[in-house]
Every structure is written in structure tokens, then in C-alpha cells.
Amino acid sequence: MPNQNTIVSGSRDFEANLVLAVNKVVHDLEGFSYHIKHEAMFALESPRWQAVTKRFIVDCLQQVVVLDIGSGTGFVPQIIAPQLKIGDLCICSDVSATMLQVCRDRLSETEVNCGLKFLLLDGERISQNSEYFTHVTMNSVLHHLANIDSLLIEVDRVLCPGGRVFIGHEPNAAFYRSRFLRWVTRIVRVFLDPLHAPKNICSFYKFRTNNSMKTNRIEAESAFESAFVEEVNQSLLREGIIQKPLSKKEIGNIVDLRSAGGSGVTQGIDIEKEIMSKLNEYQVEFFQTYNHLGKVSNKNFVTRAIDHTLRLLFPHTGGTFFVVLRKSMAKRG
């Protein structure tokens, strides 16, 4: 482990082992509340995962062996496993032991015919033989990693020829590079999104809240966040991962390493440079981008219409992407 926190202010320059350790601790601590915290995201992603599962997994005549990386509380396995047949296998994996336990508990309440296994990852190597899996799935995983290359190398190793990789709900670098889309997003937030709009604009549109209730809620959230940050730091200090406490912002930047938070840095994942260049023998079978207004909270008729128009004009430049890749059938000599 490093002798001191390797953090460069205002950037995303964190040591890979620090990123892994912080992710383990944070996800261990929020394991039992994670599904509730991200309920809206799961609701939006569920139809997409249902569709690709039916299209690319369910109708396979051969035995299906799925590895879900970063299973969390079991979102993807709960969609895939019930659709698999007797003799198939779904392996759920995560670096967080707490998350994996929650995943196991949730799946115990789900009716499945396939076999289920649970694998605690070490963040470096997948403990399975080469060309073992027919499918590898991951949802909202890559943007947590300091080194995407090492994971993709392992995925390629354990995936059989002709197997498929599913990469869902990842931030798209093309969106953050687009000045036009960023400009449109800012305009929409100012005039149509009450959570981001300045107070005078909110007043103009008469977005009113009970000040007393709002103050109490903010104070309660602040107290909870402070306690959470302290608990994260205590765990990291106790394990000798860090020598000085991390701020709330530093923890957030480490956990969501490539997401939209932070400033002055390259955001998102470059699909061509960071994925396709490493999996260059893979064929793209499905590719979709969405959230063309980024994280606009007020999803009304107007914002949905704008988002739909942008999706038609810029189909590959949405804020979030989902891709399915198929490995070449030819075995490498």
C-alpha cells in the first residue's frame, strides 16, 4: 500500500490500489441501502437489460455460463437468472463482501432454475479458467476503475470464443466533449430543472418549498454524510490504506472516478480508445446512448421532447452508453 495518499488536487490522479480500497469500504458500508439509493437508475435500466437478455442470452441452445462483474445488490442477476434454464450457471461477483451477501439474500427470494454461485473478487484477477464463460455482464462498473485495461484483459481471457460482453450504464466521454450538448444541458437546467436552477429563476416559475422542512432535511442529510465520511476514513486509516483523512469530495471523486462529478478533467469513458482498442477482435452487436441532457432531474414533457430530439440528431453522443460485444470465434494461436 502507498505510504501516503496519492491525490493531486483538482484531478483524478489516484493510485489504483487506493481506488480499489475506497470502493470496497464505501460499498461495504452502503451495501444494505444501495438498491434504495439507486432505485431510479435501476428502474430506467431494467427494460434495457430485459431486452438484451432476451435477444442475446435466453435463446442460446448451448449451456449458458454467465459472469456478472460488480453484481452489487443483484440488479443484473435478478434479471438474467430467472430467464436461464436448468444446467445454466450464473456467477455473481463483487469486490464488496457486504454487497455480495445482499445479492445472495435477494436472489434467495427469486425463483430460478439455473445454478447460482457467488465470487468475491480481489480487484485484479478473475479466479476462473480461461474461456470458461459464455457471457460476461457488468452494469455501472467501469467508471469506478482506475485501470480499465486490466479488467478487459481478464474478461477477454475468461470469455470463450463467440462469447459476449455486456457493458451497461457507463458515462460516455463523447457527451462531455460536446460543447453544444453541454450548452443545451446548462440552458435546460437553468430554466426547466428546479434542482439546479438559480433561486431567481425558481422564484419566477414559483417552485416553492417549505423552508423549515427543507432546512431540516438538509441538516439531516449533512449529518448522515459527515458520519459516513468519518466511518469511511476510520476504516481506511485502520487498515493503513491512508495516512490522513479524505474529504467528502475526494471520496466521491475516487468512487466515481470517471463520472460527471468534478471539474477540469476528462469525463466519461472513451468507447473507441478505452474499450474497442483493447477488444479489437470483438464485433459490436448492440450500441445505444441515452440521457442526452445528462443528469437533468425534472423529466417533464418539455425535457423529454428535447432529449428525444437530441437522441435523433446525435445518436452516439448521449451521456450514458450500453454496448454488447461479441468475441471472435477464431481461437488465437
Side-chain angles (χ1 to χ4, degrees), residues 2 4 35 38 46 51-52 108 117 119 134 169 189 192 196 215 217 239 255 267 294 296 299 305 310 315 323 327:
Q4 58 183 358
H35 198 84
H38 297 281
S46 183
V52 297
S108 70
K117 290 186 178 180
L119 177 64
T134 61
H169 195 75
R189 282 185 174 183
L192 297 173
H196 295 94
T215 300
R217 177 179 59 80
E239 295 178 26
V255 172
Q267 299 169 337
V296 171
K299 301 296 177 65
L310 293 173
V323 64
K327 188 175 182 179

XYZ file of all heavy atoms in Angstrom, residues 2 4 35 38 46 51-52 108 117 119 134 169 189 192 196 215 217 239 255 267 294 296 299 305 310 315 323 327:
222
model
N 0.410 2.362 -0.553
C 1.225 3.571 -0.600
C 1.483 4.131 0.779
O 0.718 3.938 1.714
C 0.354 4.537 -1.434
C -1.027 4.034 -1.258
C -0.921 2.558 -1.123
N 1.550 7.276 1.492
C 0.704 8.448 1.707
C -0.357 8.496 0.634
O -0.253 7.815 -0.379
C 1.544 9.739 1.666
C 2.292 9.929 0.353
C 3.163 11.171 0.374
O 3.176 11.887 1.350
N 3.867 11.404 -0.703
N -29.477 -0.387 -3.061
C -30.562 -0.578 -4.026
C -31.612 0.529 -3.907
O -32.144 1.000 -4.912
C -31.224 -1.946 -3.812
C -32.026 -2.395 -4.992
N -31.466 -3.045 -6.078
C -33.343 -2.272 -5.284
C -32.410 -3.295 -6.980
N -33.555 -2.848 -6.517
N -30.253 3.856 -5.412
C -30.183 3.905 -6.873
C -31.429 3.324 -7.539
O -31.373 2.858 -8.680
C -28.938 3.147 -7.352
C -27.650 3.750 -6.887
N -27.092 4.851 -7.491
C -26.826 3.427 -5.859
C -25.962 5.168 -6.871
N -25.791 4.324 -5.878
N -33.677 -1.322 -16.215
C -34.260 -2.661 -16.237
C -34.813 -3.072 -17.603
O -34.513 -4.180 -18.084
C -35.350 -2.775 -15.169
O -35.877 -4.072 -15.135
N -34.365 -6.542 -22.400
C -34.365 -6.683 -23.856
C -33.105 -7.380 -24.362
O -33.190 -8.299 -25.194
C -34.511 -5.307 -24.507
N -31.928 -6.966 -23.877
C -30.691 -7.583 -24.375
C -30.542 -9.014 -23.860
O -29.959 -9.870 -24.535
C -29.447 -6.742 -24.009
C -29.507 -5.373 -24.676
C -29.259 -6.620 -22.511
N -32.023 -15.267 -3.182
C -32.667 -16.390 -2.491
C -34.183 -16.249 -2.507
O -34.906 -17.227 -2.305
C -32.161 -16.483 -1.043
O -32.641 -15.390 -0.272
N -23.748 -19.109 -8.175
C -22.538 -19.091 -7.364
C -22.187 -17.641 -7.068
O -22.604 -16.720 -7.790
C -21.376 -19.781 -8.076
C -21.521 -21.298 -8.193
C -20.266 -21.929 -8.782
C -20.403 -23.451 -8.853
N -19.198 -24.085 -9.428
N -18.910 -15.015 -6.058
C -17.453 -14.920 -6.117
C -16.987 -13.564 -5.610
O -17.376 -12.526 -6.152
C -16.984 -15.122 -7.570
C -15.495 -14.981 -7.866
C -14.700 -16.071 -7.147
C -15.251 -15.033 -9.377
N -19.602 -18.042 -21.198
C -20.217 -17.718 -22.496
C -20.649 -16.261 -22.556
O -20.783 -15.697 -23.642
C -21.446 -18.613 -22.761
O -22.427 -18.390 -21.722
C -21.055 -20.087 -22.773
N -24.766 1.088 -18.607
C -24.835 2.268 -17.742
C -23.458 2.843 -17.402
O -23.038 2.900 -16.256
C -25.593 1.958 -16.456
C -25.993 3.194 -15.704
N -27.034 4.000 -16.102
C -25.473 3.786 -14.593
C -27.150 5.014 -15.264
N -26.207 4.919 -14.354
N -31.176 23.136 -17.610
C -31.107 23.109 -16.146
C -31.522 24.451 -15.546
O -32.238 24.498 -14.552
C -29.685 22.758 -15.695
C -29.357 21.281 -15.803
C -27.994 20.981 -15.233
N -27.731 19.547 -15.197
C -26.633 19.013 -14.701
N -25.689 19.801 -14.195
N -26.467 17.707 -14.697
N -35.517 24.910 -16.705
C -36.529 23.857 -16.589
C -36.290 22.867 -15.456
O -37.145 22.019 -15.202
C -36.611 23.068 -17.908
C -37.063 23.860 -19.140
C -36.944 23.005 -20.395
C -38.495 24.335 -18.964
N -31.532 22.506 -10.078
C -30.291 23.146 -10.478
C -30.440 24.646 -10.751
O -29.462 25.371 -10.791
C -29.728 22.476 -11.743
C -29.314 21.057 -11.528
N -30.157 20.002 -11.785
C -28.166 20.516 -11.068
C -29.539 18.873 -11.502
N -28.337 19.154 -11.069
N -34.877 22.953 5.400
C -33.711 23.126 6.254
C -33.456 21.880 7.091
O -32.318 21.414 7.213
C -33.906 24.334 7.189
O -34.086 25.504 6.387
C -32.695 24.512 8.095
N -34.347 18.814 6.408
C -33.899 17.729 5.540
C -32.429 17.888 5.196
O -31.654 16.915 5.249
C -34.738 17.704 4.259
C -34.295 16.638 3.259
C -35.183 16.641 2.036
N -35.194 17.917 1.349
C -34.230 18.326 0.521
N -33.176 17.557 0.298
N -34.305 19.497 -0.075
N -6.886 0.252 8.373
C -6.246 -0.740 7.513
C -4.914 -0.253 6.950
O -4.234 -0.997 6.234
C -7.189 -1.107 6.359
C -8.466 -1.805 6.812
C -9.393 -2.110 5.646
O -8.890 -2.252 4.519
O -10.609 -2.218 5.861
N -14.522 7.181 -5.799
C -15.520 6.139 -6.056
C -16.075 6.245 -7.474
O -16.151 5.253 -8.204
C -16.669 6.216 -5.023
C -17.797 5.269 -5.410
C -16.153 5.872 -3.636
N -13.949 13.588 -18.662
C -15.024 12.856 -18.016
C -15.543 11.759 -18.922
O -15.498 11.851 -20.137
C -16.154 13.814 -17.637
C -15.712 14.889 -16.658
C -16.770 15.970 -16.498
O -17.598 16.149 -17.376
N -16.749 16.665 -15.380
N -27.908 14.729 -19.929
C -27.144 14.450 -18.721
C -28.064 14.155 -17.545
O -29.092 13.495 -17.676
N -30.396 15.734 -15.795
C -31.494 16.669 -15.571
C -32.568 15.945 -14.773
O -33.052 14.885 -15.168
C -32.068 17.191 -16.900
C -33.341 17.973 -16.668
C -31.032 18.061 -17.609
N -37.915 15.490 -15.306
C -38.278 14.809 -16.552
C -39.744 15.076 -16.889
O -40.619 14.255 -16.650
C -38.015 13.306 -16.414
C -36.560 12.940 -16.095
C -35.635 13.323 -17.218
C -34.177 13.023 -16.875
N -33.889 11.606 -16.724
N -39.052 15.843 -24.605
C -39.088 16.164 -26.035
C -37.709 16.621 -26.523
O -37.261 16.231 -27.615
C -40.129 17.245 -26.302
N -32.581 15.423 -29.391
C -31.125 15.294 -29.363
C -30.686 13.868 -29.657
O -29.659 13.644 -30.314
C -30.581 15.740 -28.003
C -30.735 17.227 -27.673
C -30.316 17.498 -26.240
C -29.909 18.082 -28.635
N -27.129 10.341 -32.165
C -27.409 9.016 -31.600
C -26.247 8.406 -30.819
O -26.473 7.548 -29.960
C -27.741 8.169 -32.839
C -27.108 8.885 -33.982
C -27.190 10.339 -33.642
N -23.378 -1.184 -24.411
C -22.816 -1.856 -25.576
C -22.747 -3.360 -25.329
O -22.491 -3.815 -24.212
C -21.421 -1.285 -25.930
C -20.411 -1.545 -24.813
C -20.917 -1.841 -27.246
N -17.094 -11.734 -29.037
C -15.720 -12.153 -29.273
C -15.618 -12.986 -30.538
O -16.527 -13.750 -30.872
C -15.230 -12.975 -28.072
C -13.750 -13.334 -28.088
C -13.368 -14.036 -26.796
C -11.889 -14.376 -26.744
N -11.508 -15.031 -25.465
